[in-house]
Amino acid sequence: MTDHASLPYRLNVGAVLFSPDGRVFVGKRIGVPDAWQLPQGGIDAGEDPREAVLRELEEEVGTGKAEIMGEHPGWLRYDLPPALLGVAWGGKYRGQKQKWYALRFTGRDEDIRLDAHAHPEFEDWKWVNLADLPALAVAFKREIYATLARDFAVYAK
């Protein structure tokens, strides 16, 4: 039996993609009812987090039309709920340690292509108010989304 508290966190980046009018992109996870989330993904070995966030944005949202405006000063963590421990990421991690970035979307809505890659993660997307993020998040990510809504509010103006 694995002691989950001894498992490491998976290194990850996250993107808060701001539209020109200050709203943020959220994607609806494929096959998970009512699961809206921000784009995020793992950092490859030796990869710089700033490069990783742009790569993940292109993979998950299908566009590279974005500029980094800022980043959260620290790493944010979440633990997986008990039902996902031992299941997600092959049971190798207890949760994720994330570096979050605020990005400005420089394209048009038509530039967002959820089907741009062979293994899409989102089935739908929308722009939402930054303050609405915590209410849209799954419970175990809600605290991080509340932190981002507070700390990235300057970019929504």
Side-chain angles (χ1 to χ4, degrees):
M1 186 164 171
T2 302
D3 174 19
H4 296 294
S6 68
L7 292 173
Y9 288 95
R10 178 177 180 252
L11 290 181
N12 185 277
V13 290
V16 182
L17 182 64
F18 286 87
S19 68
D21 67 0
R23 293 180 295 153
V24 296
F25 172 98
V26 291
K28 185 176 184 302
R29 291 288 305 222
I30 291 176
V32 185
D34 299 320
W36 293 89
Q37 72 175 51
L38 298 166
Q40 64 176 55
I43 300 172
D44 293 338
E47 187 176 31
D48 179 80
R50 293 174 73 85
E51 293 170 4
V53 75
L54 295 171
R55 176 186 50 75
E56 282 294 335
L57 189 67
E58 190 150 356
E59 288 177 9
E60 292 190 4
V61 180
T63 186
K65 296 186 176 191
E67 307 170 334
I68 295 175
M69 297 186 290
E71 68 184 71
H72 194 272
W75 290 79
L76 303 176
R77 293 185 176 132
Y78 71 83
D79 288 324
L80 290 168
L84 293 178
L85 278 171
V87 177
W89 309 302
K92 295 189 292 189
Y93 303 100
R94 68 188 286 180
Q96 296 200 95
K97 178 179 173 182
Q98 301 177 304
K99 185 60 154 174
W100 283 93
Y101 293 90
L103 295 103
R104 175 184 302 112
F105 182 52
T106 60
R108 300 175 314 182
D109 285 1
E110 298 78 36
D111 295 318
I112 294 174
R113 296 277 321 276
L114 302 181
D115 62 350
H117 289 273
H119 304 287
E121 296 201 23
F122 300 129
E123 63 185 354
D124 198 6
W125 70 276
K126 61 185 175 180
W127 297 111
V128 301
N129 292 324
L130 182 65
D132 295 336
L133 281 180
L136 293 170
V138 294
F140 60 95
K141 293 182 182 179
R142 203 162 285 145
E143 186 177 331
I144 286 178
Y145 280 29
T147 298
L148 295 170
R150 179 191 70 229
D151 294 351
F152 282 179
V154 64
Y155 300 111
K157 298 182 187 235

